[in-house]
């Protein structure tokens, strides 16, 4: 019979730490700890396979699974010497989710399962502590009611808070046993009212409902959203971990906590975490009470603290990674409830990887593969400007939960954050976040909570998302309904309203009123520089270039390690305020000579831009794309022109002056100029400009444009080369679909290059002419095109549109439905469609290299900075990828991981 249920505890386990796919991360950790002799409460794991069977079988588990659960429960009862539902000394259980990949707070947990009216009395009698027993029962009804019976938690909270108010209890712990008994009765009445049934008294029925609730939580909207955000497959399912309860709420010699073996925010090698005395686990992570730093535990319970330090240190050495652990101390005895590889911020991931290599725990290849490429983005976040920060009012201080700076308008609910984010950056301000806030957290630049600690939901999720976060800002009181927060700052009470600007420092845990300027980070820091040096050593000859149009971007790209420019969009240079009038004059010209006069004024401007790029790259190649967009993009919109023509006869002198400035002409010329401009705009109108008169088609019909750009490129190259700087220009002709188009444009470029270089005495100067592969015909005839092209650069933005027949701008209108229905795994404009567009790319690479074996091949679309797309580019034999400057480190790491993965697969094949 196939095994679906795996027992653990008492120094043995059916599974082990390598069975994450079957047992989930939590179950695998519990099994491994049990085998290692770590004090773990006994239990059993219902495998992830059962979760999938549950959904396939109309939300029911197969009979053989139920039989195995009963057998595992019998084994656990024998191990613990207690019975589930036993009246005198009941076995109580926790039921927790646990997928292969950590999804903090996204799925359900139920504690104290097995309590009912009779077993609660037995627990009270057996422990001699009625208050403890009733506290456990009220917690169970509340948690079970929300998770398994779908009753709104606020209804339970209303009952609980009303009782506290009635007896004037300041803290939960001030409630007496009689108060808790009264709350329990009110809770049971609420359950009956909401479900029309009594609260279930049969313990095994409770277990069945709790198990099903855990499986159902796999497909809640927040869990689905989180998986999509973290790119976790929907098909893996979650395990359900059933474990004997141990209690941290049995008095002052009991407690519970969570922690990390290293600081998950900074990576510093310090013991990190929090605990609460006389509490259960959910009290810590839910932010209900502000916990104490874990170092304080050595003063409260020194023996348990020393044992915890020893166990967690051994676990880190065993797993050779940072451990995220949970523990409970029951009347002085320590129990470990969980260990798993800890989620950490980008800065922490890099530091831990470098430190662990230096400590001899892992190798350099392992270190490079430990950091997710997108995590590097967090190291490149801005910080608050120190000088400007001094001029702002610091209104709150909390715990630094996730580093970096965030500036935005305050929003006090996730729904409001989503709406406000459409208009600009947002900071989500909450009393505490819950898993239901995931959509608001996702759109926010930063997160601020009034309560909670460094292991609260807000802290853990923000770190995973790379969002700056401050938690436990006790001076902040949030009123979600009124959309404001009251803040006690320096003895004064101030009100923060929705939409007001605040600035957040997640590294220091500080909050400022107002909009602070931010500064860029230093990519040359020791840990980052060391880590990237290792990554580059494994990347080999695979290059990473940047898309940059101006010298400032080029310098930033070099700072982040770019090895050249893979795409300079020359049209971006024409949109500058001092250039657009000359560009428009060129477009309005009705003959070649007039057009050349306008281009002559643009020539020195382009030459200066190109010289700046060549100097910034200092010997690395610079790919310059000739004019690509349709000409109408450089002209005013037709509707605006018609309005201005209608307004002109009635416009004031001031309005006419503004019009003249806008259009770059004299006031007296407006009457004639505006109708001419409108006429030209209407002439240039296209029904489908994306496939219209653009790219090489413009260069063919207006060869003087290509000639001007080529002259600017090579005159700039000569100018910079004479300074002793090596220059490698690569001229790229866009939107080629036929080799004849490339022949036409290449001939113009070569003619101008020979003239300019010859006059400068640089006849042996090396340059390249190639093309952008962005329409399917170019890919299908790549062998012909490679006769002329010395390099290919795949423009995968347009290639995706033309291959899939899908507009990038319009796809967003139905993209969510496509992703929800699993028609596409991801947005094909963000992640390269390897099954479709990828095959077109691979085919073109093979055809091109068949004609020209030394053909240089790269990619310059947005996919060039997306990790899985970079891995694809490496696999199909490209020479480089090109992406935005801030994605360069991400692409460098993704390329290194692709190389290491390829080497590992090759080694496996050699030894097979």
């Amino acid at each position: 019979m196939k095994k679906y249920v795996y027992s653990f505890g008492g120094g043995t386990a059916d599974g082990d730490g390598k069975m994450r796919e079957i047992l989930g991360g939590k179950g695998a950790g519990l099994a491994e700890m049990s085998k290692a002799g770590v004090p773990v409460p006994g239990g059993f794991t219902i495998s992830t396979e059962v979760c999938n069977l549950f959904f396939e079988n109309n939300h029911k588990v197969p009979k053989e699974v139920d039989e195995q659960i009963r057998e595992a429960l019998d084994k656990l009862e024998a191990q613990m010497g207690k019975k589930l539902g036993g009246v005198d000394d009941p076995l109580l259980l926790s039921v927790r989710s646990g997928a292969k990949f950590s999804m903090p707070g996204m799925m359900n947990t139920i504690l104290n399962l097995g309590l009912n009216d009779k077993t609660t009395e037995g627990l009270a009698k057996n422990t001699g502590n009625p208050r403890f027993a009733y506290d456990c029962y009220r917690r169970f009804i509340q948690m079970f009611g929300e998770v398994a019976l779908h009753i709104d938690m606020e209804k339970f909270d209303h009952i609980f808070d009303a009782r506290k108010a009635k007896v004037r209890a300041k803290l939960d712990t001030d409630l007496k046993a009689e108060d808790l008994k009264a709350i329990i009765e009110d809770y049971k009445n609420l359950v009956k009212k909401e479900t029309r049934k009594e609260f279930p008294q049969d313990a095994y029925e409770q277990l069945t409902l709790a198990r099903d609730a855990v499986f159902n939580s796999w497909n809640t909207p927040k869990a689905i959203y989180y998986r999509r955000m973290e790119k976790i497959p929907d098909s893996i399912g979650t395990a359900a971990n059933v474990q004997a309860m141990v209690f941290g709420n049995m008095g002052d010699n009991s407690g519970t906590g969570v922690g990390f073996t290293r600081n998950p925010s900074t990576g510093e090698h310090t013991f990190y975490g929090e605990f609460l005395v006389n509490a259960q686990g959910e009290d810590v992570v839910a932010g209900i009470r502000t916990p104490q730093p874990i170092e304080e535990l050595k003063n409260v319970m020194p023996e348990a603290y020393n044992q915890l330090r020893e166990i967690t240190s051994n676990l880190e050495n065993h797993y050779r990674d940072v451990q995220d652990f949970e523990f409970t101390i029951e009347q002085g005895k320590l129990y470990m409830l969980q260990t798993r590889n800890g989620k950490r911020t980008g800065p922490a991931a890099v530091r831990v990887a470098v430190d662990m290599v230096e400590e001899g725990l892992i190798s350099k290849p392992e270190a490079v593969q430990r950091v997710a490429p997108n995590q590097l983005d967090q190291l490149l976040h801005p910080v608050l400007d120190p000088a400007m920060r001094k001029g702002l009012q610091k209104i709150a201080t909390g715990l630094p939960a996730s580093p970096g700076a965030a500036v935005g308008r305050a929003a006090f609910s996730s729904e409001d954050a989503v709406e406000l984010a459409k208009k600009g950056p947002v900071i989500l301000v909450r009393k505490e976040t819950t898993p239901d806030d995931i959509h608001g957290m996702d759109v926010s630049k930063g997160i601020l909570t009034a309560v909670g600690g460094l292991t609260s939901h807000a802290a853990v999720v923000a770190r995973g998302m790379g969002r700056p976060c401050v938690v436990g800002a006790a001076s902040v009181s949030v009123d979600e309904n009124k959309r404001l927060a009251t803040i006690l700052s320096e003895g004064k009470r101030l009100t923060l309203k929705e939409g007001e600007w605040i600035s957040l420092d997640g590294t220091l845990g500080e909050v400022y009123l107002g909009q602070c300027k931010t500064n860029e980070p230093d990519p040359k820091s020791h840990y980052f520089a060391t880590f990237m040096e290792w990554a580059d050593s494994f990347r080999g000859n695979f290059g990473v270039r940047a898309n940059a149009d101006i010298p400032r971007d080029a310098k930033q790209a070099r700072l982040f390690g770019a090895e050249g420019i893979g795409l300079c969009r020359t049209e971006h240079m024409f949109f500058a305020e001092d250039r657009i009038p000359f560009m428009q004059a060129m477009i309005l010209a009705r003959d070649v000579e007039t057009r050349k006069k306008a281009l002559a004024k643009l020539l020195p401007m382009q030459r200066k831009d190109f010289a700046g790029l060549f100097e910034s790259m200092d010997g690395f190649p610079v790919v310059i794309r000739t004019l690509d967009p349709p000409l109408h993009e450089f002209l005013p919109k037709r509707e605006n022109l018609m309005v201005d023509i209608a307004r002109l006869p009635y416009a004031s002198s001031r309005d006419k002056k503004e019009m003249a400035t806008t259009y770059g002409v004299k006031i007296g010329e407006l009457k004639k100029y505006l109708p001419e401009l409108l006429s030209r705009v209407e002439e240039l109108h296209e029904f489908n400009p994306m496939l219209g008169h653009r790219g090489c088609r413009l260069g063919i019909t207006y060869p003087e444009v290509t000639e001007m750009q080529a002259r600017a490129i090579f005159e700039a190259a000569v100018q910079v080369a004479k300074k002793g700087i090596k220059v490698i220009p690569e001229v790229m002709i866009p939107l080629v679909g036929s080799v004849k188009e490339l022949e036409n444009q290449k001939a113009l470029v070569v003619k101008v290059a020979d003239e300019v270089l010859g006059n400068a005495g640089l006849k042996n100067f090396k340059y390249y002419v190639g093309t952008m592969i962005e329409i399917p015909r170019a890919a299908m005839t790549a062998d012909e095109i490679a006769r002329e092209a010395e390099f290919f650069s795949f423009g995968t933005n347009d290639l995706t549109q033309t291959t899939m027949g899908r507009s990038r701008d319009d796809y967003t209108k139905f993209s969510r439905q496509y992703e929800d229905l699993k028609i596409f795994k991801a947005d094909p404009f963000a992640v390269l469609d390897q099954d479709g567009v990828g095959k077109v790319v691979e085919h073109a690479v093979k055809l091109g290299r068949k004609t020209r074996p030394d053909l240089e091949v790269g990619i310059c679309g947005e996919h060039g900075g997306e990790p899985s797309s970079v891995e694809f580019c490496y696999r199909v034999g490209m020479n480089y990828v090109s992406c935005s400057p801030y994605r360069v480190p991400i692409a460098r790491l993704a390329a290194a991981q692709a190389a290491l993965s390829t080497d590992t697969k090759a080694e496996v094949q050699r030894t097979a």
Side-chain angles (χ1 to χ4, degrees):
M1 182 187 294
K2 182 175 177 59
K3 192 170 183 65
Y4 291 109
V5 182
Y6 296 77
S7 294
F8 59 83
T12 63
D14 296 339
D16 58 42
K18 297 176 183 177
M19 299 175 65
R20 288 165 53 86
E21 289 191 8
I22 296 173
L23 302 180
K26 188 172 292 183
L30 289 167
E32 190 78 2
M33 284 196 292
S34 295
K35 284 190 167 182
V38 173
V40 173
F44 53 88
T45 299
I46 306 169
S47 75
T48 57
E49 295 171 290
V50 177
C51 180
N52 289 326
L53 289 172
F54 174 79
F55 289 114
E56 291 169 9
N57 199 35
N58 197 25
H59 293 246
K60 295 178 182 176
V61 301
K63 184 180 178 182
E64 60 266 33
V65 173
D66 257 329
E67 291 172 353
Q68 290 186 31
I69 290 172
R70 287 190 178 275
E71 289 173 8
L73 180 60
D74 290 344
K75 185 177 179 179
L76 178 60
E77 289 176 332
Q79 178 186 328
M80 301 301 295
K82 300 180 180 184
K83 297 282 286 183
L84 180 67
V87 175
D88 296 327
D89 188 14
L91 172 65
L92 302 183
L93 303 173
S94 65
V95 184
R96 304 170 187 257
S97 60
K100 177 183 178 181
F101 302 107
S102 175
M103 295 173 57
M106 294 301 116
M107 292 182 289
N108 289 335
T109 292
I110 292 178
L111 306 179
N112 305 320
L113 187 142
L115 284 174
N116 56 32
D117 294 349
K118 293 180 179 179
T119 57
T120 300
E121 296 302 326
L123 182 65
K125 185 177 179 182
N126 189 55
T127 60
N129 190 342
R131 190 201 178 283
F132 158 73
Y134 298 135
D135 186 44
C136 289
Y137 193 20
R138 72 93 186 163
R139 287 172 182 267
F140 172 55
I141 297 173
Q142 187 171 346
M143 193 175 285
F144 189 90
E146 181 193 28
V147 171
L149 304 179
H150 312 296
I151 300 171
D152 193 333
M153 178 60 77
E154 287 185 2
K155 295 181 179 180
F156 289 107
D157 288 340
H158 179 73
I159 292 170
F160 190 77
D161 292 341
R163 187 68 188 186
K164 280 178 68 177
K166 182 178 181 179
V167 300
R168 298 182 180 178
K170 186 176 181 181
L171 302 174
D172 296 358
T173 49
D174 293 337
L175 292 170
K176 295 181 170 47
E178 294 75 19
D179 299 319
L180 294 168
K181 285 182 75 173
I183 290 170
I184 287 167
E185 289 307 310
D186 288 342
Y187 277 4
K188 286 162 61 180
N189 289 335
L190 174 65
V191 169
K192 187 174 182 179
K193 178 183 176 183
E194 294 290 323
T195 67
R196 299 182 180 178
K197 293 180 182 178
E198 300 288 346
F199 183 79
Q201 298 291 303
D202 181 270
Y204 195 82
E205 180 189 356
Q206 294 173 357
L207 177 58
T208 299
L209 290 170
R211 174 204 65 200
D212 293 352
V214 166
F215 288 149
N216 277 318
S217 69
W218 177 251
N219 275 339
T220 58
K222 65 186 177 186
I224 293 170
Y225 189 101
Y226 186 87
R227 287 199 299 276
R228 182 181 294 125
M229 184 175 71
E230 295 291 320
K231 296 181 172 58
I232 296 172
D234 291 329
S235 59
I236 62 173
T238 181
N241 297 287
V242 180
Q243 194 171 14
M245 281 291 300
V246 288
F247 299 95
N249 58 330
M250 291 191 74
D252 291 342
N253 63 348
S254 302
T256 188
V258 297
F260 295 80
T261 52
R262 304 188 189 215
N263 188 316
S265 186
T266 66
E268 188 179 358
H269 197 171
T270 55
F271 200 46
Y272 180 98
E274 296 166 324
F275 77 101
L276 283 169
V277 172
N278 194 20
Q280 287 201 330
E282 76 270 20
D283 296 341
V284 179
V285 297
I288 295 170
R289 290 162 56 189
T290 299
Q292 297 173 260
I294 202 166
E295 283 295 327
E296 290 294 317
L297 185 61
K298 65 183 172 188
N299 300 322
V300 180
M301 303 178 207
E303 189 175 332
Y305 173 82
N306 291 332
Q307 187 185 7
L308 180 66
R309 286 300 306 263
E310 181 182 357
I311 288 172
T312 55
S313 179
N314 290 338
L315 287 170
E316 179 178 277
N317 289 330
H318 176 76
Y319 286 105
R320 300 184 309 125
D321 204 350
V322 178
Q323 293 303 291
D324 167 6
F325 57 86
E326 296 180 16
F327 65 94
T328 286
I329 302 166
E330 181 182 278
Q331 295 183 324
K333 182 174 174 59
L334 174 70
Y335 293 93
M336 299 301 295
L337 305 183
Q338 169 183 289
T339 191
R340 60 187 175 191
N341 293 341
K343 279 188 173 290
R344 64 210 80 166
T345 64
V350 169
R351 177 167 180 169
V352 167
V354 172
D355 281 347
M356 285 191 167
V357 170
E358 293 175 351
E359 292 164 16
L361 272 178
I362 60 176
S363 65
K364 288 180 182 178
E366 286 177 301
V368 168
Q369 290 175 304
R370 283 273 176 95
V371 180
N374 281 330
Q375 282 188 295
L376 295 184
D377 193 35
Q378 298 172 33
L379 280 84
L380 313 175
H381 285 316
V383 295
L384 295 181
D385 179 77
M388 192 170 181
R389 180 206 296 253
K390 290 179 182 178
L392 296 178
Q393 180 186 359
K394 183 165 72 172
I395 56 174
T397 301
L399 301 173
S402 187
V407 180
R409 297 181 186 274
F412 299 100
S413 73
S414 288
E415 290 70 26
D416 290 339
V418 170
E419 289 305 310
L420 274 176
K422 295 175 182 177
K423 302 173 185 176
V426 168
I427 304 291
L428 180 63
V429 183
R430 302 283 282 151
K431 179 183 178 184
E432 73 253 3
T433 64
T434 70
D436 292 328
D437 286 311
I438 187 66
H439 58 300
M441 298 175 78
D442 185 38
V443 300
S444 299
K445 296 297 182 183
I447 296 144
L448 169 64
T449 68
V451 300
L454 295 171
T455 51
S456 64
H457 174 268
V460 172
V461 174
R463 283 196 294 267
M465 297 168 73
R467 301 285 193 279
C469 179
V470 176
V471 299
S475 64
V476 179
S477 177
V478 176
D479 190 327
E480 180 184 336
N481 293 327
K482 292 183 179 178
R483 291 186 167 95
L484 57 81
T486 305
I487 302 172
L488 189 62
S489 177
E490 298 179 350
K492 297 179 180 179
R493 194 173 298 277
L494 63 88
T495 300
L496 176 69
K497 297 178 181 177
E498 181 180 87
E500 288 192 82
W501 286 94
I502 56 173
S503 301
L504 207 69
D505 188 329
T507 305
L508 298 177
E510 297 175 345
V511 186
Y512 296 85
L513 184 64
Q515 189 176 4
C516 188
K517 177 186 172 185
T518 56
N519 294 336
E520 300 305 319
D522 178 15
K524 294 183 179 179
S525 65
H526 166 67
Y527 286 105
F528 183 71
T530 300
F531 181 81
M532 294 310 301
E533 183 182 328
W534 294 347
D536 289 340
S537 70
F538 298 116
R539 182 161 52 90
N541 295 323
F542 188 82
V544 177
R545 302 183 188 180
N547 301 340
D549 309 323
I550 56 176
R552 185 183 68 241
D553 289 347
K555 288 173 184 175
Q556 188 67 59
R558 285 290 297 124
L559 194 62
F560 287 138
E563 298 154 327
I565 292 177
L567 175 62
C568 167
R569 310 169 187 88
T570 55
E571 61 271 10
H572 286 187
M573 301 168 175
F574 295 136
F575 284 108
E577 191 175 327
D578 60 334
R579 304 178 187 193
I580 195 70
F582 302 121
M583 190 64 185
Q584 291 178 349
M586 185 276 291
I587 297 169
L588 289 173
R590 295 292 181 178
D591 58 75
V592 173
E593 289 308 313
T594 307
R595 193 174 298 116
K596 283 185 175 181
K597 284 180 183 178
L599 290 170
K601 293 178 181 177
L602 289 169
L603 173 62
M605 299 175 181
Q606 287 245 286
R607 182 172 59 226
K608 182 180 178 182
D609 291 332
F610 296 146
L613 294 177
F614 291 143
E615 288 181 6
S616 299
M617 283 298 110
D618 193 14
F620 285 110
V622 177
V623 177
I624 299 172
R625 182 179 71 185
T626 54
L627 189 63
D628 183 45
L631 296 180
H632 74 82
E633 289 193 10
F634 299 97
L635 299 177
K637 291 187 180 297
R638 176 175 177 271
E639 295 76 12
N640 295 343
L641 270 171
M642 292 175 72
V643 169
D644 284 345
I645 290 171
R647 284 177 55 216
L648 185 60
Y650 312 101
S652 65
S653 298
R654 182 179 175 182
D655 288 343
K656 288 179 181 179
K657 186 176 180 181
E658 286 181 2
M659 277 191 211
T661 302
T662 299
Y663 291 109
V665 296
K666 295 177 181 178
I667 293 176
E669 297 173 347
L670 284 170
K671 187 174 181 180
K672 179 182 178 185
Y673 180 77
L674 293 184
E676 287 179 356
L677 189 56
L678 176 61
S679 175
R680 190 68 171 131
V681 166
E682 290 176 336
E683 283 178 33
L684 293 172
H685 172 74
E686 295 180 299
F687 290 104
N688 190 349
M690 186 257 171
L691 297 177
H693 193 195
R694 53 169 287 219
C696 67
R697 301 159 193 173
L698 281 174
I700 290 170
T701 53
Y702 302 120
E704 53 274 14
V705 175
T706 303
E707 287 176 353
M708 182 278 287
Q709 292 199 292
R711 189 170 300 278
I713 291 168
F714 290 106
E715 286 181 358
V718 168
Q719 180 182 315
V720 175
K722 286 186 175 180
K723 294 180 181 180
I725 299 173
K726 186 178 180 182
V727 180
I728 308 175
E730 299 189 16
V731 183
M732 181 162 68
I733 311 300
L735 213 72
V736 164
S738 161
V739 68
K740 293 289 186 183
E741 290 174 315
L742 183 56
E743 281 178 3
N744 176 286
Q745 291 293 281
K746 182 179 178 181
L748 290 174
V749 172
V750 171
K751 176 187 171 186
V752 173
D754 289 349
E755 177 194 333
V756 173
L757 296 173
N759 292 339
L762 296 174
K763 291 186 178 181
N764 295 323
F765 183 88
K766 188 64 181 170
Y767 65 91
Y768 302 87
V769 181
T771 189
M772 202 168 184
I773 305 291
E774 48 193 328
I775 56 177
R777 192 180 192 283
M780 295 300 102
T781 61
D783 50 344
E784 297 176 18
I785 290 173
R787 292 201 306 264
E788 295 292 331
E790 295 170 287
F791 67 87
F792 284 173
S793 181
F794 286 91
T796 49
N797 299 341
D798 277 355
L799 186 60
T800 297
Q801 293 192 93
T802 54
T803 301
M804 302 183 80
R806 185 167 288 112
S807 163
R808 177 173 50 174
D809 298 323
D810 297 318
Y811 174 62
T812 55
K813 296 174 183 175
F814 56 92
S815 60
R816 176 55 62 86
Q817 291 94 319
Y818 265 53
E819 289 169 37
D820 288 345
L821 293 169
K822 309 294 187 296
I823 293 174
F824 292 121
K825 297 175 185 174
D827 179 351
F829 295 104
V831 180
L832 186 67
D833 166 38
Q834 297 184 25
D835 296 332
V837 179
K839 288 179 180 177
V840 174
V841 170
E842 189 171 9
H843 182 70
V845 172
K846 289 177 180 176
L847 284 179
R849 292 250 172 88
K850 187 177 179 181
T851 298
R852 190 185 290 265
D854 61 348
L855 182 72
E856 179 187 80
V857 181
I859 182 175
C860 61
E862 290 300 314
H863 300 105
E866 194 283 313
S868 67
S869 305
V870 173
E871 187 275 333
F872 168 82
C873 295
Y874 183 92
R875 180 161 36 88
V876 300
M878 289 191 191
N879 299 96
Y880 69 87
V881 295
S882 186
C883 55
S884 69
Y886 284 89
R887 302 290 292 179
V888 166
I890 294 167
R892 288 163 64 193
L893 178 55
Q897 292 180 348
L900 286 167
S901 175
T902 301
D903 291 345
T904 301
K905 289 175 183 175
E907 181 62 29
V908 169
Q909 289 173 349
R910 279 197 299 271
T911 57

